C-alpha cells in the first residue's frame, strides 16, 4: 500500500492490497511456470480447457459439483468481479466492513453500493434483518437491489461465518430476489480446519450463487494473477457466464498461458502444493494469534482470527490516548500505526467502515521477515514465534499498542 497524499487521502490507487503471504514461491510451481514460459499466447477468454477442468476438480473436492462450461477464469479477482457485476446488473449490497476492492468495482460501473451491518459474531456476511431492512429502504428510494456480495471466510475481519448465519442471510437474500456472489478466496486458510465449519452459500442455494476464488489466497503467488468463477447450473447461469466472457474479452483480462499452466497444476492440489498451503496457513495462524494476544492486552478489541493472513482491530476503547497523539479517525490512525510499525496498516474506512470508527487491519506477512531467507526460515521453523526477526516484529507491535493503554 502506498502512503496517502495530502491532496487525496482516499483514491483507489492508495488502497490496500489483499494480505500477501510474504513467502517464497513453491519450487514445484516455479518449475511448472518455467516449463510453460515459451508459450506466447494468452488463454482464451474465460480460460482454456485444462484450467477450467482443474477448477472443476477443485470444487468437486469441496462438495460443489461443476462442469467446465460453468467455469470462467480471469487474470485476477478484480477484473473477474468487475465482469460479474456488469453481467448481473442492478444495485449491489455488501457487508460492512468488506474487502477494500469491492466498493470501487461497483462504483466504477456507476452502480450504487450499499453496506449492510454484520452480526456481532462475524464479518463477511450481512445480518439478515439488516439486509431485509436495507433492501426495503433501497426499493422505497427507487433503487433496484439485485446483487449481494459476501465472503464466508472474510477479509478484513479474518472470521468465518457460522453455518446458521450463512443460511439465514442467504435465505433472506434469495427471498428478496437477490443473486449472491460468494467470494471464497480464503476458504482454504482456516486456522483450525478440524474445528471450523465453513458452509458455502452455493451448497444451500445452488441456483442463486456464483462462487469466485482468487488463487492467491492459498495456491499461487499474488504476482501470478488468476481467479476462477463457478456459475449456477441453470439457463440463467449460462447466459450470465456468456455476458461475463464478453466483458472479460473487452477488458483483455485473459490469463497468460504460463500462469494458467501453474494455476491448473495448483488447482489439482498435488501433495507438495497442499503441504505448502497447510504449512503457510499454520505459520500465519500462529502469528495472527500472537498479534491477537498483544492487541487484547493493550485494551483494544478484535475477534479471534479464524482464517487468512490478517487481523481486524478496533481501537475504540483507546480513543482518549489516541486523541492525545492527534488521532481522531481511521485515516489518522492509519498514518499513525503505519509510521509506528513501519508497515502498511490500512484504516477501516478503506473497508467501508465509518471514518470515525478507530479500526485497522493488521497483516501477518510483514512480521515473517525482511528477506527471502528470513521468510523461508519462518516457514520451516517448528517454533516461528521464537525466531529473532519474528519475535522482534511482535515486540514492536506489542510496544506500539501498549503505549496506548
Amino acid at each position: 500500500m502506498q502512503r496517502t497524499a495530502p491532496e487525496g487521502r482516499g483514491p483507489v490507487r492508495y488502497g490496500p492490497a489483499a494480505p500477501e503471504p510474504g513467502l517464497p514461491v513453491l519450487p514445484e510451481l516455479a518449475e511448472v511456470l518455467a516449463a510453460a514460459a515459451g508459450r506466447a499466447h494468452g488463454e482464451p477468454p474465460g480460460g482454456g480447457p485444462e484450467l477450467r477442468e482443474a477448477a472443476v476438480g477443485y470444487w468437486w473436492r469441496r462438495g460443489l459439483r461443476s462442469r467446465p462450461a460453468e467455469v470462467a477464469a480471469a487474470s485476477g479477482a478484480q477484473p473477474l468481479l468487475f465482469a460479474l457485476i456488469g453481467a448481473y446488473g442492478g444495485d449491489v449490497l455488501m457487508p460492512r466492513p468488506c474487502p477494500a476492492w469491492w466498493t470501487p468495482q461497483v462504483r466504477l460501473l456507476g452502480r450504487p453500493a450499499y453496506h449492510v451491518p454484520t452480526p456481532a459474531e462475524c464479518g463477511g456476511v450481512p445480518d439478515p434483518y439488516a439486509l431485509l431492512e436495507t433492501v426495503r429502504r433501497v426499493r422505497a428510494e427507487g433503487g433496484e437491489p439485485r446483487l449481494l456480495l459476501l465472503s464466508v471466510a472474510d477479509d478484513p475481519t479474518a472470521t468465518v461465518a457460522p453455518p446458521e448465519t450463512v443460511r439465514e442471510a442467504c435465505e433472506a437474500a434469495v427471498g428478496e430476489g437477490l443473486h449472491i456472489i460468494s467470494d471464497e478466496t480464503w476458504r482454504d486458510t482456516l486456522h483450525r480446519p478440524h474445528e471450523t465449519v465453513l458452509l458455502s452459500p452455493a451448497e444451500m442455494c445452488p441456483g442463486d450463487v456464483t462462487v469466485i476464488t482468487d488463487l492467491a489466497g492459498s495456491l499461487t503467488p499474488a504476482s501470478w494473477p488468476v481467479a476462477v468463477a463457478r456459475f449456477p447450473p441453470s439457463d440463467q447461469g449460462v447466459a450470465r457466464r456468456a455476458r461475463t466472457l464478453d466483458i472479460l474479452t473487452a477488458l483483455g483480462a485473459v490469463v497468460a498461458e504460463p500462469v494458467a499452466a501453474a494455476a491448473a497444476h495448483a488447482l489439482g492440489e498435488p501433495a507438495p502444493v497442499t503441504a505448502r498451503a497447510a504449512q503457510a496457513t499454520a505459520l500465519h495462524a500462529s502469528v495472527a494469534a500472537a498479534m491477537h494476544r498483544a492487541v487484547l492486552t493493550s485494551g483494544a478489541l478484535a475477534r479471534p482470527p479464524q482464517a487468512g493472513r490478517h487481523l481486524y482491530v478496533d481501537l475504540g476503547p483507546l480513543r482518549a490516548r489516541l486523541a492525545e497523539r492527534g488521532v481522531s479517525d481511521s485515516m489518522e490512525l492509519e498514518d499513525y500505526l503505519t509510521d509506528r510499525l513501519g508497515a502498511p496498516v490500512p484504516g477501516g474506512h478503506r473497508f467501508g467502515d465509518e471514518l470515525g470508527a478507530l479500526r485497522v487491519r493488521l497483516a501477518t506477512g510483514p512480521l515473517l521477515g525482511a528477506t527471502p531467507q528470513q521468510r523461508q526460515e519462518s516457514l520451516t521453523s517448528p517454533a516461528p514465534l521464537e525466531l529473532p526477526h519474528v519475535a522482534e516484529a511482535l515486540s514492536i507491535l506489542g510496544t506500539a499498542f501498549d503505549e496506548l493503554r
Side-chain angles (χ1 to χ4, degrees), residues 289-322:
M291 292 167 60
H292 186 244
R293 290 192 292 270
V295 163
L296 295 186
T297 298
S298 74
L301 303 174
R303 297 184 182 102
Q306 297 175 287
R309 305 188 279 260
H310 46 282
L311 184 70
Y312 201 58
V313 183
D314 184 354
L315 286 86
L318 308 177
R319 185 177 293 274
R321 296 300 302 272
L322 285 166

Side-chain angles (χ1 to χ4, degrees), residues 71-85:
V71 173
S75 53
Q78 287 85 350
L80 182 56
L81 181 64
F82 184 87
L84 286 170
I85 295 170

Side-chain angles (χ1 to χ4, degrees), residues 358-379:
L358 295 175
R359 299 183 185 123
V360 293
R361 186 188 71 187
L362 301 175
T364 54
L367 280 70
L368 303 184
T371 66
Q373 292 75 22
Q374 287 182 338
R375 293 190 286 270
Q376 180 66 32
E377 187 179 8
S378 298
L379 180 66

Side-chain angles (χ1 to χ4, degrees), residues 18-360:
E20 296 188 11
L23 297 173
V25 176
L26 179 66
E28 178 172 322
L29 281 184
E31 292 171 4
V32 174
L33 184 78
R39 301 182 188 178
H41 303 288
E43 293 270 288
E50 181 182 1
L51 178 55
R52 289 185 287 117
E53 285 278 5
V56 165
Y58 169 87
W59 276 310
W60 270 68
R61 289 189 293 275
R62 286 153 181 81
L64 300 177
R65 297 190 175 186
S66 308
R67 297 177 299 173
E70 297 160 0
V71 173
S75 53
Q78 287 85 350
L80 182 56
L81 181 64
F82 184 87
L84 286 170
I85 295 170
Y88 280 93
D91 298 345
V92 184
L93 285 74
M94 61 190 74
R96 181 194 299 274
C98 66
W101 53 282
W102 283 7
T103 304
Q105 298 278 328
V106 177
R107 291 180 176 164
L108 188 59
L109 285 164
R111 308 274 184 78
Y114 298 97
H115 292 88
V116 185
T118 57
E121 66 268 21
C122 68
V125 176
D127 178 88
Y129 297 103
L131 175 63
L132 291 173
E133 175 58 24
T134 303
V135 170
R136 184 203 63 77
R137 175 174 54 83
V138 171
R139 286 179 176 152
E141 295 172 354
E144 293 184 280
R146 294 183 181 174
L147 198 59
L148 171 64
L149 308 184
L150 54 77
S151 53
V152 289
D154 186 44
D155 169 24
T157 65
T159 59
V160 177
E164 59 273 17
T165 301
V166 177
R167 184 175 302 278
E168 291 172 1
C170 290
E171 288 176 349
V174 172
E176 291 296 327
L178 304 181
H179 186 80
I180 299 168
I181 295 180
S182 176
D183 183 351
E184 300 183 8
T185 295
W186 303 102
R187 69 169 297 154
D188 296 325
T189 64
L190 301 184
H191 295 179
R192 297 185 176 185
H194 300 298
E195 302 176 21
T196 307
V197 179
L198 186 148
L199 174 68
S200 169
E203 295 179 63
M204 57 170 298
C205 304
D208 298 289
V209 178
T210 299
V211 177
I212 62 171
T213 299
D214 186 344
L215 271 64
S218 63
L219 295 176
T220 60
S223 58
W224 304 356
V226 57
V228 289
R230 174 192 179 273
F231 291 83
S234 64
D235 292 341
Q236 202 171 42
V238 170
R240 284 170 172 161
R241 178 180 182 273
R243 176 60 177 153
T244 299
L245 295 185
D246 285 342
I247 299 172
L248 292 174
T249 302
L251 295 173
V254 298
V255 183
E257 285 196 357
V259 173
H265 183 80
L267 283 166
E269 298 181 295
V273 170
T274 56
R276 162 59 75 87
Q279 191 177 30
T281 294
L283 170 61
H284 287 287
S286 65
V287 174
M291 292 167 60
H292 186 244
R293 290 192 292 270
V295 163
L296 295 186
T297 298
S298 74
L301 303 174
R303 297 184 182 102
Q306 297 175 287
R309 305 188 279 260
H310 46 282
L311 184 70
Y312 201 58
V313 183
D314 184 354
L315 286 86
L318 308 177
R319 185 177 293 274
R321 296 300 302 272
L322 285 166
E324 295 172 0
R325 291 162 171 77
V327 175
S328 60
D329 61 33
S330 63
M331 286 195 294
E332 293 168 348
L333 181 60
E334 174 181 290
D335 286 345
Y336 173 79
L337 286 178
T338 295
D339 286 338
R340 186 66 183 81
L341 299 179
V345 183
H349 61 286
R350 299 188 182 276
F351 306 99
D353 245 332
E354 300 88 348
L355 180 62
L358 295 175
R359 299 183 185 123
V360 293

